[in-house]
Amino acid sequence: TMQGEVVCQTRGSSETPAGLCEATILRPNQIHHFYFLPLREQPIYSTRAHVFQIDPNTKKNWVPTSKHAVTVSYFYDSTRNVYRIISLDGSKAIINSTITPNMTFTKTSQKFGQWADSRANTVYGLGFSSEHHLVKFAEKFAEFKEAARLAKEKSQEKMELTSTPSQESAAGDIQSPLTPESINGTDDERATPDVTQNSEPRAEPTQNALPFTHSSTISKHWEAELAALKGNNAKLTAALLESTANVKQWKQQLAAYQEEAERLHKRVTELECMSGQANVIKSHKTELNQTIEELESTLKAKEEEIERLKEEVDNAHQLQAQRDSLTQKLQETETRNKDLEVQLSELEQRLESSQMEQEAFRKNLKTLLEILDGKIFELTELRDNLAKLIECS
């Protein structure tokens, strides 16, 4: 029903609020602008970092734009096929950079990287908590830069393919009979230029028609052309009447569009207020989600540490049980050693007494042997004496 074209585009300048689109409605003799939330734009990668911008005066020093680490996200606009880097500090947009094929992300240290944005006329810097996050952000930057380059090449090819038809249509518009002169002039004024242009070259052949035999043929030709011009004049008159009626209709539609625009402006103002609150809530939600993820990772690490400590406690209990068992065995061994020492002392005493008894027995035996030797000697003498006695008798 609305005869106008609506164009939505996301601008990277500071004039457009962060995260909003600018809509342009083209109507007869009027152009209306308003902003709304780009629902087509979705975050595809997010991380946290400290945001810096180069000092515009010195072009050497870094100026921090956030007091603490904030969420930095890659956004993808599926309609325009555009990638953007956006970061919000509360309701303030501290990064709003559209990725182009000529951008380069440079890693200046293990945890710091930077890139230049010619549209914003500044250089952005990001400080990460670890080298892993910096490498991941750089990989995503290179990936989306390549995607932006391919999208630009495709758009250039489409423009080249459509350039020839658009030129032909433009030429057709120029040759259209609905020119400004035909709309604003009267019927006689509209017919006069065409007739004059054709009557001037016709005048010379008419004046010289008497010396030539084919003057009647030329006259018929110009009469046919004049009839064609009259037919075109009638068509232009009908087109003028139709365009006048269309102008009245367009004026009525324009008044309706103006009322609609005022209503939309009020609605946009309400939506801007709601979008500001939604952006704040969204940023808080993102920060809370990030905090929850960090707490979950910390909790997981604590649980792993608790499991490890439980294993160490179990091992300590086992070692304590083994220690108690060894202590009891040691006490039993010491008791047995004491008993053995008592038995050993008794055996030593018994051995000493037995040695003394053996020594006494040896002495007695030696005495008996001496007595026995004496008795044997006496018996030997007695035998010898008896033998002598026997010999003598």
Side-chain angles (χ1 to χ4, degrees), residues 275-320:
S275 65
Q277 296 177 358
N279 288 332
V280 173
I281 294 173
K282 187 176 181 180
S283 62
H284 287 323
K285 182 180 178 182
T286 305
E287 293 178 358
L288 288 175
N289 289 334
Q290 189 71 22
T291 306
I292 289 171
E293 291 178 357
E294 293 176 355
L295 291 175
E296 286 179 350
S297 61
T298 305
L299 180 61
K300 186 177 180 181
K302 294 295 183 182
E303 288 177 352
E304 292 177 354
E305 186 176 358
I306 289 171
E307 292 294 332
R308 183 177 59 80
L309 291 174
K310 284 182 179 179
E311 292 179 356
E312 291 182 356
V313 168
D314 293 338
N315 294 331
H317 286 319
Q318 292 178 359
L319 292 174
Q320 184 67 27

Side-chain angles (χ1 to χ4, degrees), residues 85-141:
I85 303 175
I86 296 176
S87 179
L88 299 176
D89 187 5
S91 60
K92 178 184 177 183
I94 55 178
I95 297 179
N96 190 355
S97 177
T98 301
I99 299 177
T100 59
N102 58 353
M103 283 185 178
T104 303
F105 184 80
T106 306
K107 294 184 287 185
T108 57
S109 66
Q110 292 183 351
K111 297 182 181 181
F112 193 86
Q114 66 184 41
W115 78 95
D117 190 343
S118 58
R119 295 182 179 181
N121 194 21
T122 187
V123 179
Y124 293 104
L126 296 179
F128 296 89
S129 59
S130 65
E131 186 178 2
H132 171 72
H133 292 85
L134 173 61
V135 172
K136 188 69 175 179
F137 188 89
E139 291 176 354
K140 292 293 182 181
F141 192 97

Side-chain angles (χ1 to χ4, degrees), residues 26-313:
L26 305 181
R27 297 169 178 166
N29 301 326
Q30 281 195 0
I31 298 177
H32 297 281
H33 299 273
F34 63 92
Y35 298 96
F36 65 97
L37 286 172
L39 298 177
R40 67 193 181 196
E41 205 166 8
Q42 299 295 331
I44 52 180
Y45 176 77
S46 297
T47 185
R48 291 183 68 82
H50 292 271
V51 180
F52 300 86
Q53 284 190 11
I54 201 69
D55 190 350
N57 298 323
T58 62
K59 298 294 183 181
K60 294 181 180 179
N61 300 326
W62 288 105
V63 178
T65 57
S66 62
K67 297 180 181 179
H68 51 81
V70 295
T71 302
V72 182
S73 302
Y74 285 99
F75 279 79
Y76 174 62
D77 187 347
S78 58
T79 304
R80 297 173 58 224
N81 200 11
V82 171
Y83 294 88
R84 290 201 300 161
I85 303 175
I86 296 176
S87 179
L88 299 176
D89 187 5
S91 60
K92 178 184 177 183
I94 55 178
I95 297 179
N96 190 355
S97 177
T98 301
I99 299 177
T100 59
N102 58 353
M103 283 185 178
T104 303
F105 184 80
T106 306
K107 294 184 287 185
T108 57
S109 66
Q110 292 183 351
K111 297 182 181 181
F112 193 86
Q114 66 184 41
W115 78 95
D117 190 343
S118 58
R119 295 182 179 181
N121 194 21
T122 187
V123 179
Y124 293 104
L126 296 179
F128 296 89
S129 59
S130 65
E131 186 178 2
H132 171 72
H133 292 85
L134 173 61
V135 172
K136 188 69 175 179
F137 188 89
E139 291 176 354
K140 292 293 182 181
F141 192 97
E143 177 183 350
F144 300 145
K145 173 186 174 182
E146 181 66 17
R149 184 185 65 80
L150 295 175
K152 184 177 181 181
E153 291 179 356
K154 290 181 180 179
S155 64
Q156 288 178 352
E157 291 176 359
K158 290 181 179 179
M159 290 177 64
E160 291 175 357
L161 291 174
T162 57
S163 60
T164 304
S166 63
Q167 292 174 0
E168 292 177 356
S169 63
D173 294 338
I174 294 173
Q175 295 175 0
S176 176
L178 292 175
T179 59
E181 293 81 5
S182 66
I183 294 175
N184 296 325
T186 62
D187 296 343
D188 294 337
E189 291 173 348
R190 289 194 304 273
T192 301
D194 294 333
V195 174
T196 305
Q197 291 175 2
N198 292 295
S199 61
E200 288 178 357
R202 190 167 70 95
E204 185 177 355
T206 304
Q207 295 173 358
N208 297 327
L210 295 175
F212 297 96
T213 59
H214 57 281
S215 61
S216 60
T217 305
I218 296 173
S219 173
K220 291 179 180 180
H221 172 73
W222 286 112
E223 288 176 358
E225 188 172 352
L226 180 60
L229 290 173
K230 288 181 179 180
N232 290 335
N233 190 17
K235 292 180 181 179
L236 291 173
T237 303
L240 177 61
L241 295 175
E242 183 179 359
S243 64
T244 303
N246 289 333
V247 166
K248 292 180 180 179
Q249 184 179 1
W250 290 345
K251 287 181 179 179
Q252 294 175 357
Q253 291 181 353
L254 179 59
Y257 292 159
Q258 288 176 349
E259 294 178 358
E260 182 70 15
E262 292 177 358
R263 188 182 65 81
L264 290 175
H265 280 304
K266 294 179 181 179
R267 181 59 178 168
V268 166
T269 305
E270 296 175 358
L271 290 176
E272 284 179 352
C273 297
M274 294 174 63
S275 65
Q277 296 177 358
N279 288 332
V280 173
I281 294 173
K282 187 176 181 180
S283 62
H284 287 323
K285 182 180 178 182
T286 305
E287 293 178 358
L288 288 175
N289 289 334
Q290 189 71 22
T291 306
I292 289 171
E293 291 178 357
E294 293 176 355
L295 291 175
E296 286 179 350
S297 61
T298 305
L299 180 61
K300 186 177 180 181
K302 294 295 183 182
E303 288 177 352
E304 292 177 354
E305 186 176 358
I306 289 171
E307 292 294 332
R308 183 177 59 80
L309 291 174
K310 284 182 179 179
E311 292 179 356
E312 291 182 356
V313 168

